[in-house]
Each structure stands twice: as C-alpha cells, then as structure tokens.
Amino acid sequence: WETCWFKVELSIPLAWAGREVHFIWESDGEGMVWCDAQPVQGLTKEGEKTSYILTSNLKETEPHSLTLYVELACNGLFGAGKGSMIAPPDPDRRFTLSKAELVVFNRDVYELLVDLEILLDMAQLLGEENQRSFQALYTANQMINVCDVMDPSTFPAARELAAAIFSQRNGKSQHTIHAMGHCHIDSAWLWPYEETIRKCARSWVTVVRLMECNPELTFVCSQLRLICVLWQAQQFEWVRSWYPGLYAQIQDFVAKGQFIPVGGTWVEMDGNLPSGESMVRQFLQGQQFFQEQFGRICSEFWLPDTFGYSAQLPQLMRGCGIRRFLTQKLSWNLVNTFPHHTFFWEGIDGSRVLTHFPPGDSYGMHGQVEEMLKTVKNNKDKGRVNHSALLFGFGDGGGGPTQKMLDRIKRMSDTDGLPRVQISTPDQLFSVLEKESSQLCTWVGELFLELHNGTYTTQAQIKKGNRECERILHDVEVLSTLALAQSGTFQYPASQLQRLWRLLLLNQFHDVLPGSCIQLVVEDALQYYAEIRRAGARLQEEAVQSLCGDLLQPKAGSAESTLVLNTLPWERTEVISRTGPAGTETLALVTVPSMGYAIVREPLLPAQPVAVRKQEDGSIAMENGVIAVCLDTMGRLTSLRLVDSERESVPDGCYANQFALFDDVPLYWDAWDVMDYHLETRKPVTTLLKPLEITLAGGLRGSASFSLRIGKNSTLTQEIILDATCPYLRFLTQVEWKEAHKFLKVEFPVQVRSTNATYEIQFGHLQRPTHCNTSWDWARFEVWAHKWLDLSEHCFGVALLNDCKYGASAHRNVLSLSL
C-alpha cells in the first residue's frame, strides 16, 4: 500500500508536428498522472488505461517540453493478494514499472482495427444461417484486399467499405440497448477505505477526460459521495480539498447531464443485514446528499453488487421517493436461474417497484458484439419489453469506459443484424420500460441470492458491532427526543448523531458488514464501532442527565434507589442487575412502562421464585412457574415445557442447545460461501471440559454453566439463565474460536410441525419453507434473519432469539443458529 512518485520530464521531437502524441505508462500498480498540481488521467493496466494523450494534433505553438508527475500505488486493481485475488495481501509483494514511453499514436490504423474487430465478430457470432454474418465476412475480406499496410493512402477506401455495412439500418422492431458508462467501485474490499478515495479520483478523472472528447458519453455513478463519506466524521471540506479541481469538473458534467449520480443510498449497502432503521437512514442520508449537491433526489435505486435483497426494500424505496430499481447480482445464482430481467418487485406490504436486471448479466461490459447479442438472446422478457440496459466500463478503480468501447458502440448504433444501441441514461431507460410495462410479471417477496450464504456469519465481531451500534443509536435518539420534549434548553445532538450514523452506514457497505474484506478493512470497521460506542455512551448519559437529573440526585433520608429506563414501546417486567452500596451485584424484579422509567427502591416479589434442582444423574432442572426446563450434564435441553399446559417443546430422544461443527470448504469464495454439502459433515460437539454446575441457586434468577471443547483448539463456555416470570430461557455463550474452515452452529429440535418457518426482517417478517420440495427450497439451506426465527403450529410455537447473529436455518423441525 506504499506510494511512489515519479517526476517525468518530456521533450517531444519537432518532427512530430501534426501527429497525435501519447505518454505511455505500464505498471502493475495503479497510477495517476498529475499536471500543474491537478490530476489529469488514471493509469490502470487491467482497465486498459495505459496512456495519457498529450496532444491530438501537435502544433508548433504548443509547448514541446513539459513536466508530469505520476503517483503510483503499490497495489493492483484488486489489491495485493498473495497468489490469489481473494488471498490476504502479500506484505512483500513488489510492483514494477515496465514501460514509460513517448509515442506517436496512429489514429487511422486504430480506426481500421476497430472496424475489422466489429466485422469479424459479426461474421463469427451471427451464425452461418444469418446472411449478415457472410456480408460482414466478405466486407472484411475486401478491406484486407484493398488495404496496403505500408500505404496509409489506402486506408480511407478500406474504411468506406466498413462504413457501408455499418450504415445499413435495422427495422423498427429491433431490440434497443441503452448503453451507459459505468464504474462500480467498492467502498472497501481487497483494499482499505482510504485507498478508495484514490480509486475514485483515478476513475472519475479518466471519465472526465473521455467526456471532454465525447460529449455524447453518459456515465452513471452510484458512489459519488465517497469523496465526502470517508472522512465526513472529521471534515467534509478537508477531504474535498484532496481533489477540488476534479470535483468542480464533475459538478460541471453533472449539470450537462453527462455525469449522472444514481443510487439513492449513502453507500451501496448490504441488502440483507442492516436493520429497518439503518436502511431508512441509508436512503435518508443518500437522498439528502443528492438534493444538497445536485438539486434533486434519485428516482432509481442502484445496487448492482450485493448478496441478496430484502423483501422490505420495495416499501422503503417507495417511502423515499424511489420507484425504480436496478441490479444484476441474481445472475450469480448457483442453483436456479432467475426467471426475469424486467419485472415488478412487490414487497411485504404490497409496494411495487419497476425492476431491471441488465440481461447481459454484468455491470462491467466492454461494448463488444458478443455482449450485445447476449443481451438480446439472454433476455427473459422478450415480447413484454423491447428495451434493456448495458453498463460498460472497468470498475474498482479501472477507470470506467474506454475510447475503444465508445467507438465500438458508435459502429453498432443502428446496424442491420445487431440490436440497436444508443448511449442513454437511467431515466430514459426506465421511462420507456414504464410505457411497456403493461404485460410485465410480478415477483413477490425477497430476491434471495443462491450464493454467498456464509456472509451472514463471517466476521462475528463486525456482526456484533453492527447490531450493538444500531441499538445504541436508537436509544440515544429516543432519550434525546424525550429530553428535548421535556426541556427546551436541551441541545439535541443532531450533528453528532449524523456523524455516528454515517460511520455506521459506511460499515454497512456490501463487502464490510458481510465480512468479505481484508483484515485492514476489518480493523477500520472495528475502530468505527468503538467510536460509536464511546460517543453514543456519552450522548446517552447527557440525555439521561437532562431527562432525569432530579431523579438521580440522592434525597436525604430516602432509601437507596435505582433509575431504570425502558426505550422500547411496550411495558416490560424483567429481572435487572444493579450495583449495591458495597459494589456487589444485586438482582431486582422491576416493571417499567413503555418509553418510560421507574424508580426502584423495594423490588417486586415474583409470584413464584425460580427453583433450581440438581438431579442424581447430574442433570439440572429449573422452573419459574411459566416454563420448566431440564438440562443434561453437557448443557443440552432434554425438556422445555410450558407449565400451564404441560406442552413439551423438545421431542423425545432429542437434545436442544446442541452444538454442531461442520466442515467449511467452499468451491472458491472462502469468506463468502458455505456450500450445501457442508451439511453432510455434521459432527455434534460432545467433548466436555467442565460439566454443568449450578451458578445461581434460584429466587429471582437461576443459572447453570458448562464448558466444551470444539474441534482441536477452540473452547465454548455457556451460562444458561432462567429469570422469575420470564417466558424464555437465556444462553450467554462465549466461544474462543481458533478453527480454520469449520462452521459452528447450535441446534434446537422442537416438537412443532409446520411447512414454513418465520424469520424477522426489516420492519416485518417473512416465511420460508422447512422442506426441500423444489430446487428453490433447497437453495435456501442457509438463510438470514434478524433478531428471531420462529416455528409455530396452531396454538403453539417456539422462537429462537439472538442479539448479534444473522445466519440461520429451519429444516423440518430443527431451528439452527449459525455462530
């Protein structure tokens, strides 16, 4: 990740007058050319950006000597992995400058080569049954016969032959492809957040240069706010000073309608794991940014690369002024081919958005004949719509479109035998799709990606940090709002909360929250979570002091009391732990109203205290008048029943709270995937380090704890807790994880029969099958949920709750949580 600076002094020979002169630079690191203290061109070999045009027609009056600077980063387009793109970065990797030259570029030869490329692709790809393929082949053959490579005067005649066939037009019924320049840049992935700022600059300055020469070019950019997002917590103006000239140029091209901001959210977030409130904030912050910077909000949600899409998204989109959606990631499905490319997507409340998947199944096309033909052939909605999108350009710092891509598209704009291709915009595409939408199909529910199921569990600390910080910000906002409502002198911490929200939203990027990123990114993310925790605790304390300051003051002669706050919208009766005068922990049963508080002096007495008994065989029974449980010496539930109805939850001969270890050896995407065949490697965890022992003997709380050995090197310690009046059992679990390519789950077989399990999602829930009748059912062998999953039949059910996990499954009658 080091940076080298090269000073390049150029002297152009006088004999090159009237010629097009390029500065050629080839290295295996990403680079950028600077001139007069401004970035002018990105250089990325993998993105076919290896030259900077010094002049298109050298004039005597132009300076023949100049000085450039090249900023060269010691990382390639996809980081610096050791031996593999997705391997950890190699700290000893060296990068090489292989070419630095001053050259004359022969534009006539280049144009001839592009002509021949298009004709030969038509000849090869249109098929022997298509007369246009033969016309293209014979035209190319004539060009070769006419052209003498040693005699440039023969080039125009050869090009005229090509122009003749390119000018033969399509009929009116031909499919129209809406081509848009594109450069998807991951906010962080195989490189850290900070490197993304430079990737954006390299790519966007390259696009600006291309727009200057091609005023018809449109470029859609869904990550424009990255220039400000990364350090918004410090100073927006400070970061914009990195590239103020470039930013001004971008704003000019936005005003011209060429540089088109799309997206609608703060970052291209993960589509499954953020909470409902987090998703609302993604849209709120994103739409605010577009309004402030460009005077309009987005009408398209642009999320081409994330690992599935929650069924709640259509409602959230419509609520934020968005009625159109574009992605392509479901083309990665491992099992089933998604049946549509253009359709209405309906969410859990009935909200619908017009959705388009580019039929070429990519957001990084190169403008080639093969891609145009695939876009038409692959389109699943032929006959319903006659328009589709094609996004072309190199992503992740590759600089987006190239001149060659544009030149290919110009030749194919309306050529008989090929689909019609026009440079377009998202609004133009969706507007025509809306007019053609009367026969479109509707897909109801989630857009589940049948791949990358491991991202629901990978990097447990990131998952825990996300859930905790979402809760912290919720509590701070509730308490601060109440404090403001009570006292007009309270200063609502709007700017501090926006800073913390933007840090959290940044970490919800679709390669960070899923855990599919390098260690440097994980370290940054954990630091941001730590900052949210620190600042959130301070803001929460300030709100409580303002809201309840008088109540916190000790009164003379009054008994010791505790202030208990409830930030949830329902009354709660729970056992709490509080610190006594001597510093010892004491328990109290309290009832606190919805969004309110209670002063606890004399704690409530439960109708029935918790009873804990150790049996002769070492098992432990606990009961609180609501539920009764029995645990064996390994901490497994052998019985869990409702006291009133005597309804048993655990089937005979089965164990709930059973830990199981699986092999985790995916086909390729190690941090991303868990394959279905991992289920064949199940091994129950049965090595006991410390048998079950009572840790709290009952009263307000009963508990027991035990320890297990997992695999070769890991340990698990768990405390199982039953509180007075509580209708559920709690499991405090700590794992010291030192395994590689293993997957730990905990299983709860239950005596419930249902063909569907219910899972919490953002602001709602959805059902998924517990059977494998179809390939669509089986592909959901590992799914995601938020705080709970539930298996219920008429009048009875069992739910499994968690405070920091997302991976889950329900197969037949077994609820499983991925740890």
Side-chain angles (χ1 to χ4, degrees), residues 378-398:
N378 200 42
N379 187 5
K380 299 289 191 299
D381 297 282
K382 299 183 187 76
R384 296 190 181 99
V385 291
N386 206 24
H387 295 256
S388 59
L390 182 136
L391 309 179
F392 64 98
F394 291 98
D396 285 325

Side-chain angles (χ1 to χ4, degrees), residues 23 52 136 191 295 321 332 366 383 426 512 537 587 696 728 777 779:
F23 167 55
Y52 170 50
W191 52 86
W332 285 46
H366 298 161
V512 180
L587 300 175
L696 284 175
Y728 55 82
D777 301 332

Side-chain angles (χ1 to χ4, degrees), residues 288-303:
Q288 275 185 341
F289 178 86
F290 286 111
Q291 185 67 52
E292 291 168 3
Q293 294 291 317
F294 309 114
R296 64 175 184 84
I297 63 172
C298 287
S299 58
E300 302 91 14
F301 181 34
W302 199 274
L303 191 59

Side-chain angles (χ1 to χ4, degrees), residues 406-418:
L406 277 171
D407 291 336
R408 289 169 179 151
I409 288 170
K410 288 173 186 175
R411 286 161 171 79
M412 291 185 279
S413 61
D414 192 4
T415 295
D416 186 25
L418 297 176

Side-chain angles (χ1 to χ4, degrees), residues 418-433:
L418 297 176
R420 189 177 287 108
V421 186
Q422 66 182 47
I423 298 294
S424 186
T425 67
D427 183 62
Q428 290 171 3
L429 167 68
F430 278 104
S431 293
V432 72
L433 290 178

Side-chain angles (χ1 to χ4, degrees), residues 279-280 283-284 287 297-298 315-322:
M279 283 192 169
V280 168
F283 284 106
L284 175 65
Q287 294 287 53
I297 63 172
C298 287
Q315 182 180 8
L316 296 180
M317 281 186 247
R318 294 303 295 260
C320 298
I322 292 174

